[in-house]
Amino acid sequence: LDMLSDLIISFMTLLQLVLLLWITSTLFKVEKVARNTLLAFALASVLLASANLLQIPGFYQRFSDGRISAIANNPNEVAGNMAVAIIIIVGLCLYAPYKHIYTKCLLLLLTLPLLAVMASTGSRGMVIAFLMGCVVYLLPYGSSKRFLLSVALAFVLISSILYEISGNADFM
């Protein structure tokens, strides 16, 4: 009887996830909705990273091995969220129709707390995932101004994450 109950709960959870995926896939066909949703996720991650860097209780947790986490999550999950947020911000800078260079510069400045928290978590796997995400932006370009911009942006981001990692003695 207990196994049947677990099976029903698992089935209902799967059904809810399929329904949610169907609804969101329809909503995200509108580019503005998709872009604003990604921006909201990135800004929420920036707020989390800023609270973590300021060591606000509940948003900052240091483990005995020196790794940092937030909201009682696994440090690898926190680093994964930060990596996804950075990749979203880079994508918005490259592809979103922001007319002012100041908006793009502000978005790029928002990656700094994300990079710092990602490095302080000590998650090597998520750093590699972040680097692979940056490489994905380099693939579709030929010899264009966007290609040069994306190479320069990737170089700056990769250099800054390597700098952050080198300053973290617990990373290795």
Side-chain angles (χ1 to χ4, degrees), residues 1-11:
L1 187 64
D2 191 37
M3 191 168 122
L4 181 63
S5 171
D6 289 342
L7 184 64
I8 291 173
I9 290 173
S10 297
F11 176 73

Side-chain angles (χ1 to χ4, degrees), residues 2 28 38 61 63 71 74 78 86 93 103 117 134:
D2 191 37
F28 286 166
L38 292 173
Q61 181 180 6
F63 290 102
I71 313 177
N74 183 342
V78 173
I86 294 169
C93 285
T103 306
V117 170
C134 287

Side-chain angles (χ1 to χ4, degrees), residues 12 28 42 44 66 75 84 101 110 119 121 139 152 162-163:
M12 292 303 290
F28 286 166
V84 168
I101 190 74
L110 291 177
T121 60
L139 295 178
L162 291 176
Y163 175 77

Side-chain angles (χ1 to χ4, degrees), residues 42-158:
L43 291 177
S45 296
V46 168
L47 287 174
L48 175 65
S50 299
N52 188 290
L53 291 174
L54 295 172
Q55 298 183 1
I56 295 175
F59 293 97
Y60 177 82
Q61 181 180 6
R62 178 180 284 275
F63 290 102
S64 61
D65 59 354
R67 298 178 73 187
I68 303 296
S69 181
I71 313 177
N73 279 342
N74 183 342
N76 294 330
E77 293 173 4
V78 173
N81 285 337
M82 300 300 142
V84 168
I86 294 169
I87 292 169
I88 287 170
I89 290 173
V90 170
L92 289 173
C93 285
L94 290 174
Y95 294 110
Y98 297 122
K99 297 191 188 319
H100 298 290
I101 190 74
Y102 300 116
T103 306
K104 292 182 179 187
C105 289
L106 177 65
L107 280 174
L108 290 178
L109 282 175
L110 291 177
T111 62
L112 295 177
L114 296 169
L115 287 167
V117 170
M118 186 171 63
S120 66
T121 60
S123 176
R124 294 180 297 268
M126 290 306 144
V127 170
I128 292 170
F130 162 71
L131 294 176
M132 290 295 112
C134 287
V135 167
V136 166
Y137 286 123
L138 298 176
L139 295 178
Y141 296 118
S143 297
S144 67
K145 289 182 183 179
R146 280 198 171 189
F147 178 74
L148 295 176
L149 175 68
S150 62
V151 167
L153 185 59
F155 178 75
V156 167
L157 287 173
I158 290 170

